[in-house]
Amino acid sequence: MSVLVYTESEQGKFKKVAFEVASYAKAVADQLGTSVTAVAVNVEDTSALANYGVDKVLSVKNPVLDVFNAKVYADVIKQAADKESSQVVILSSSANSKYLAPLLAVHLNAGYASNVVALPSNTSPFTVKRTAFTNKAFEFMQINTAIKIIGLSNNSFGLVESSGNATSEAFSPSITESGIKVESVDKVTGKVAIADADIVVSGGRGLKGPENWGMIEELADVLGAATACSKPVSDMGWRPHGEHVGQTGKPVAANLYIAIGISGAIQHLAGINASKVKVVINIDPEAPFFKAADYGVVGDAFEVVPNLIEKLKAFKAQQ
Ligand SMILES: Cc1cc2nc3c(=O)[nH]c(=O)nc-3n(C[C@H](O)[C@H](O)[C@H](O)COP(=O)(O)OP(=O)(O)OC[C@H]3O[C@@H](n4cnc5c(N)ncnc54)[C@H](O)[C@@H]3O)c2cc1C
C-alpha cells in the first residue's frame, strides 16, 4: 500500500527533481499513514533518497534502460506499483515523465493529473491543485479512480529533508522490448539543461546579434545557470532551437528566471511564468515584461549585464 515514486536519474546519478518528488511522496504518505517506495533505474548509490523520506528503494539495474523509452519505463513502474499494491504513484512533470505517465495510467487503469503544485486534499474526494491554461490559472481536479498518478510540477514543492533509513531491494521486472528502439542519444555535455536548472538566464532580440551572447553565457556560468532565448532568437539562428522557451518552446519552472532584452510577449510568458522569481533587464520602461516581473532593471543590457557579472564575481570571491 506504499506510495510509489519514480526517481529520475541520469548517468547513474539522481537528478535534483528525484529528491523533490521523494519529498512530496513522503508528505503524501504521511497524509495517508503509509510509507514511501521509490523506483530507481540504474543508479549506482541510492542511499541519498533516505534523506528525503524514502523507506524502500526498488533498485532496477538493466542496461536496456540506459536509454529512455517511455513504453518500457511505464511497464517497469507498473510492475513496481503492482508489487507494492500502490494506490498513489508520483512522478515529476519532466518531458520524460509526462511522456510515460499516460501509458502508465492505461496500464494501471489510473487517473493522472500533471503539473500538480500542492499536496492533495486530505479528505475525500481525492483532489489535486494543478496549473491550467499555460500557468495562468489553477484548477482543482478530482481523481476518482482507485489508483491515482500525480505529476508534480518542478520546483513547486521544494526539497524537504527528513532523517531515515531506506532499504534497497534489487528489483528485476520483466522487460519486453517495445516496437521502437532508441539506438543512442547524443547530449550536450558540460551545460546545465533548461529542464533541470534552478536558474535560467535568457536573452532576446534586444541583444542585437549572436556575437553578443558571450555575456549571457558568462552570467549563466557565474550563476551555475542554463541559457535560454526567445523564439525569434532561435528562428534567426542566433541560438540553437533547444534554447527556445515559451508557448511553442521549452517550459521553464526555475527558481530564478532572468530575461535580458526580451519584451515579454504573451507567448513567451506562457512558457516561463511557472518560474518563482522573474528578473527583467530591458531598456524600455514600457516593456510588457515588467508587469510580470518580480524585479526589473530599466537599463541597457550592454551596461547592466557586465556590471552584474563583475559584482557577482566579486561577491563569490568573498565567500
Ligand atoms: C503562435 C506564436 C507562438 C509563439 N511562441 C513563442 C515562444 O514560444 N517563445 C517566444 O519567446 N516567443 C514566441 N512567439 C513570438 C512572440 O510573440 C514575440 O514575437 C517574441 O517573444 C519576441 O521576442 P523578443 O522579446 O526577443 O523580441 P522583441 O519583441 O523584439 O523585444 C526585444 C526587447 O529588447 C529590448 N531591448 C532592445 N535593446 C535593448 C538593450 N540594449 N538592452 C536591454 N533591452 C533592450 C526592447 O526594449 C524589447 O523589449 C510566438 C508567436 C506566435 C504568433
Side-chain angles (χ1 to χ4, degrees), residues 204-206 208 230-232 244-249 261-265 267-268 281-284 287 299-302:
R205 200 151 46 181
K208 322 284 187 225
S230 65
K231 184 174 183 294
H244 157 203
V245 295
Q247 185 187 319
T248 48
I262 301 177
S263 57
Q267 297 89 354
H268 186 86
I281 301 170
N282 198 303
I283 205 162
D284 174 10
D300 185 340
F302 297 96

Short mmCIF file of all heavy atoms in Angstrom, two decimals, residues 204-206 208 230-232 244-249 261-265 267-268 281-284 287 299-302, ligand 1:
data_model
loop_
_atom_site.label_atom_id
_atom_site.label_comp_id
_atom_site.label_asym_id
_atom_site.label_seq_id
_atom_site.Cartn_x
_atom_site.Cartn_y
_atom_site.Cartn_z
N GLY A 204 17.00 37.89 -25.48
CA GLY A 204 16.06 38.14 -26.57
C GLY A 204 16.68 38.97 -27.67
O GLY A 204 17.89 39.22 -27.70
N ARG A 205 15.81 39.44 -28.55
CA ARG A 205 16.25 40.17 -29.74
C ARG A 205 16.96 41.48 -29.37
O ARG A 205 17.72 42.02 -30.17
CB ARG A 205 15.02 40.44 -30.62
CG ARG A 205 15.35 40.75 -32.04
CD ARG A 205 14.26 40.34 -32.99
NE ARG A 205 12.90 40.71 -32.56
CZ ARG A 205 11.80 40.42 -33.25
NH1 ARG A 205 11.91 39.76 -34.39
NH2 ARG A 205 10.63 40.76 -32.81
N GLY A 206 16.71 41.96 -28.16
CA GLY A 206 17.37 43.17 -27.69
C GLY A 206 18.87 43.04 -27.61
O GLY A 206 19.58 44.04 -27.48
N LYS A 208 20.70 42.12 -30.02
CA LYS A 208 21.16 42.56 -31.37
C LYS A 208 21.82 41.50 -32.26
O LYS A 208 21.74 41.61 -33.47
CB LYS A 208 22.16 43.75 -31.30
CG LYS A 208 21.89 44.78 -30.25
CD LYS A 208 20.75 45.70 -30.62
CE LYS A 208 20.63 46.84 -29.63
NZ LYS A 208 19.28 47.12 -29.20
N SER A 230 14.51 33.74 -26.55
CA SER A 230 13.15 33.90 -27.09
C SER A 230 13.09 33.24 -28.47
O SER A 230 14.12 32.89 -29.05
CB SER A 230 12.79 35.39 -27.19
OG SER A 230 13.65 36.01 -28.13
N LYS A 231 11.89 33.10 -28.98
CA LYS A 231 11.67 32.38 -30.24
C LYS A 231 12.39 33.03 -31.43
O LYS A 231 13.09 32.35 -32.18
CB LYS A 231 10.17 32.25 -30.51
CG LYS A 231 9.81 31.45 -31.75
CD LYS A 231 8.30 31.27 -31.80
CE LYS A 231 7.89 30.41 -32.98
NZ LYS A 231 8.17 31.06 -34.26
N PRO A 232 12.24 34.38 -31.61
CA PRO A 232 12.91 34.96 -32.79
C PRO A 232 14.41 34.73 -32.79
O PRO A 232 15.02 34.56 -33.85
CB PRO A 232 12.58 36.45 -32.71
CG PRO A 232 11.70 36.66 -31.56
CD PRO A 232 11.43 35.37 -30.89
N HIS A 244 15.12 27.66 -27.11
CA HIS A 244 13.88 28.46 -27.26
C HIS A 244 12.87 28.08 -26.18
O HIS A 244 12.48 26.93 -26.06
CB HIS A 244 13.36 28.21 -28.70
CG HIS A 244 11.89 28.46 -28.91
ND1 HIS A 244 11.18 27.87 -29.92
CD2 HIS A 244 11.01 29.23 -28.26
CE1 HIS A 244 9.94 28.27 -29.89
NE2 HIS A 244 9.80 29.08 -28.89
N VAL A 245 12.48 29.10 -25.39
CA VAL A 245 11.48 28.83 -24.35
C VAL A 245 10.21 29.63 -24.63
O VAL A 245 10.24 30.65 -25.32
CB VAL A 245 12.03 29.18 -22.93
CG1 VAL A 245 13.18 28.28 -22.56
CG2 VAL A 245 12.44 30.65 -22.81
N GLY A 246 9.11 29.14 -24.11
CA GLY A 246 7.84 29.83 -24.33
C GLY A 246 6.76 28.84 -24.71
O GLY A 246 6.94 27.62 -24.59
N GLN A 247 5.66 29.38 -25.17
CA GLN A 247 4.49 28.56 -25.51
C GLN A 247 4.84 27.47 -26.52
O GLN A 247 4.37 26.35 -26.42
CB GLN A 247 3.42 29.48 -26.10
CG GLN A 247 2.11 28.82 -26.39
CD GLN A 247 1.19 29.79 -27.12
OE1 GLN A 247 1.13 30.97 -26.79
NE2 GLN A 247 0.47 29.31 -28.11
N THR A 248 5.64 27.82 -27.51
CA THR A 248 5.99 26.84 -28.54
C THR A 248 7.39 26.27 -28.33
O THR A 248 7.89 25.51 -29.15
CB THR A 248 5.91 27.49 -29.93
OG1 THR A 248 6.62 28.74 -29.89
CG2 THR A 248 4.49 27.74 -30.36
N GLY A 249 8.03 26.66 -27.23
CA GLY A 249 9.35 26.12 -26.92
C GLY A 249 9.31 25.32 -25.64
O GLY A 249 8.28 24.74 -25.30
N GLY A 261 16.70 41.72 -22.49
CA GLY A 261 16.35 42.15 -23.84
C GLY A 261 15.21 41.35 -24.45
O GLY A 261 15.19 41.09 -25.65
N ILE A 262 14.28 40.96 -23.60
CA ILE A 262 13.08 40.23 -24.06
C ILE A 262 11.86 41.09 -23.73
O ILE A 262 11.72 41.56 -22.59
CB ILE A 262 12.97 38.84 -23.38
CG1 ILE A 262 14.21 37.99 -23.67
CG2 ILE A 262 11.70 38.11 -23.82
CD1 ILE A 262 14.23 36.64 -22.99
N SER A 263 10.96 41.27 -24.69
CA SER A 263 9.86 42.22 -24.49
C SER A 263 8.79 41.70 -23.53
O SER A 263 8.14 42.48 -22.84
CB SER A 263 9.22 42.56 -25.84
OG SER A 263 8.77 41.38 -26.47
N GLY A 264 8.61 40.36 -23.49
CA GLY A 264 7.58 39.80 -22.61
C GLY A 264 6.27 39.59 -23.33
O GLY A 264 5.19 39.80 -22.77
N ALA A 265 6.36 39.14 -24.58
CA ALA A 265 5.14 38.82 -25.34
C ALA A 265 4.42 37.66 -24.64
O ALA A 265 5.04 36.84 -23.97
CB ALA A 265 5.52 38.40 -26.77
N GLN A 267 3.20 34.95 -25.62
CA GLN A 267 3.64 33.59 -25.96
C GLN A 267 4.93 33.23 -25.23
O GLN A 267 5.20 32.07 -24.97
CB GLN A 267 3.85 33.43 -27.47
CG GLN A 267 2.62 33.63 -28.31
CD GLN A 267 2.40 35.07 -28.72
OE1 GLN A 267 3.12 35.98 -28.29
NE2 GLN A 267 1.39 35.31 -29.55
N HIS A 268 5.75 34.22 -24.95
CA HIS A 268 6.98 33.96 -24.18
C HIS A 268 6.61 33.70 -22.72
O HIS A 268 7.04 32.71 -22.12
CB HIS A 268 7.95 35.14 -24.30
CG HIS A 268 9.27 34.88 -23.65
ND1 HIS A 268 10.30 34.25 -24.30
CD2 HIS A 268 9.72 35.10 -22.38
CE1 HIS A 268 11.33 34.11 -23.48
NE2 HIS A 268 11.00 34.63 -22.31
N ILE A 281 15.62 42.63 -17.42
CA ILE A 281 16.52 43.73 -17.75
C ILE A 281 16.13 44.20 -19.15
O ILE A 281 16.23 43.44 -20.12
CB ILE A 281 18.00 43.26 -17.73
CG1 ILE A 281 18.36 42.73 -16.33
CG2 ILE A 281 18.93 44.41 -18.15
CD1 ILE A 281 19.71 42.01 -16.26
N ASN A 282 15.62 45.44 -19.24
CA ASN A 282 15.12 45.93 -20.52
C ASN A 282 15.30 47.44 -20.57
O ASN A 282 15.07 48.14 -19.57
CB ASN A 282 13.64 45.55 -20.69
CG ASN A 282 13.19 45.64 -22.13
OD1 ASN A 282 13.30 46.70 -22.75
ND2 ASN A 282 12.69 44.54 -22.67
N ILE A 283 15.66 47.92 -21.72
CA ILE A 283 15.93 49.36 -21.87
C ILE A 283 14.65 50.19 -21.92
O ILE A 283 14.65 51.38 -21.63
CB ILE A 283 16.79 49.58 -23.15
CG1 ILE A 283 17.59 50.87 -23.04
CG2 ILE A 283 15.96 49.53 -24.43
CD1 ILE A 283 18.75 50.92 -24.03
N ASP A 284 13.55 49.53 -22.24
CA ASP A 284 12.28 50.23 -22.42
C ASP A 284 11.41 50.07 -21.17
O ASP A 284 10.92 48.97 -20.89
CB ASP A 284 11.56 49.64 -23.66
CG ASP A 284 10.18 50.22 -23.84
OD1 ASP A 284 9.83 51.20 -23.15
OD2 ASP A 284 9.42 49.67 -24.68
N ALA A 287 8.18 48.11 -21.52
CA ALA A 287 8.17 46.71 -21.99
C ALA A 287 7.18 45.90 -21.16
O ALA A 287 7.19 45.99 -19.92
CB ALA A 287 9.57 46.11 -21.87
N GLY A 299 17.33 49.47 -18.13
CA GLY A 299 18.69 49.86 -18.50
C GLY A 299 19.17 49.10 -19.71
O GLY A 299 18.52 48.14 -20.17
N ASP A 300 20.31 49.55 -20.21
CA ASP A 300 20.90 48.93 -21.39
C ASP A 300 21.61 47.65 -20.97
O ASP A 300 22.51 47.68 -20.12
CB ASP A 300 21.91 49.94 -21.98
CG ASP A 300 22.50 49.46 -23.29
OD1 ASP A 300 22.45 48.24 -23.55
OD2 ASP A 300 23.01 50.31 -24.05
N ALA A 301 21.21 46.53 -21.57
CA ALA A 301 21.80 45.23 -21.21
C ALA A 301 23.32 45.25 -21.34
O ALA A 301 24.01 44.58 -20.56
CB ALA A 301 21.22 44.13 -22.11
N PHE A 302 23.80 46.04 -22.30
CA PHE A 302 25.26 46.04 -22.54
C PHE A 302 26.03 46.77 -21.43
O PHE A 302 27.23 46.64 -21.33
CB PHE A 302 25.56 46.62 -23.92
CG PHE A 302 24.96 45.77 -25.01
CD1 PHE A 302 23.72 46.09 -25.56
CD2 PHE A 302 25.61 44.62 -25.45
CE1 PHE A 302 23.15 45.28 -26.53
CE2 PHE A 302 25.04 43.81 -26.42
CZ PHE A 302 23.80 44.14 -26.97
C1 LIG B 1 1.90 31.30 -32.39
C2 LIG B 1 3.07 32.01 -31.78
C3 LIG B 1 3.88 31.33 -30.88
C4 LIG B 1 4.97 31.97 -30.32
N1 LIG B 1 5.74 31.28 -29.42
C5 LIG B 1 6.76 31.92 -28.81
C6 LIG B 1 7.54 31.27 -27.81
O1 LIG B 1 7.35 30.10 -27.51
N2 LIG B 1 8.55 31.96 -27.25
C7 LIG B 1 8.82 33.28 -27.56
O2 LIG B 1 9.76 33.84 -26.97
N3 LIG B 1 8.08 33.90 -28.49
C8 LIG B 1 7.08 33.27 -29.13
N4 LIG B 1 6.37 33.93 -30.09
C9 LIG B 1 6.84 35.26 -30.52
C10 LIG B 1 6.38 36.37 -29.60
O3 LIG B 1 5.11 36.82 -29.97
C11 LIG B 1 7.36 37.55 -29.67
O4 LIG B 1 7.45 38.00 -31.01
C12 LIG B 1 8.75 37.23 -29.18
O5 LIG B 1 8.68 36.62 -27.89
C13 LIG B 1 9.59 38.48 -29.11
O6 LIG B 1 10.90 38.15 -28.82
P1 LIG B 1 11.87 39.19 -28.11
O7 LIG B 1 11.22 39.66 -26.87
O8 LIG B 1 13.20 38.55 -28.04
O9 LIG B 1 12.00 40.35 -29.20
P2 LIG B 1 11.33 41.79 -29.27
O10 LIG B 1 9.86 41.74 -29.16
O11 LIG B 1 11.90 42.43 -30.48
O12 LIG B 1 11.86 42.52 -27.98
C14 LIG B 1 13.17 42.93 -27.77
C15 LIG B 1 13.22 43.66 -26.45
O13 LIG B 1 14.56 44.03 -26.20
C16 LIG B 1 14.57 45.32 -25.61
N5 LIG B 1 15.88 45.92 -25.86
C17 LIG B 1 16.36 46.44 -27.02
N6 LIG B 1 17.64 46.85 -26.86
C18 LIG B 1 17.95 46.60 -25.57
C19 LIG B 1 19.12 46.80 -24.80
N7 LIG B 1 20.23 47.36 -25.32
N8 LIG B 1 19.12 46.42 -23.51
C20 LIG B 1 18.01 45.86 -22.94
N9 LIG B 1 16.87 45.65 -23.64
C21 LIG B 1 16.85 46.00 -24.94
C22 LIG B 1 13.44 46.05 -26.29
O14 LIG B 1 13.00 47.14 -25.48
C23 LIG B 1 12.40 44.95 -26.41
O15 LIG B 1 11.53 44.94 -25.31
C24 LIG B 1 5.27 33.31 -30.67
C25 LIG B 1 4.43 33.99 -31.57
C26 LIG B 1 3.35 33.35 -32.12
C27 LIG B 1 2.45 34.09 -33.08
#
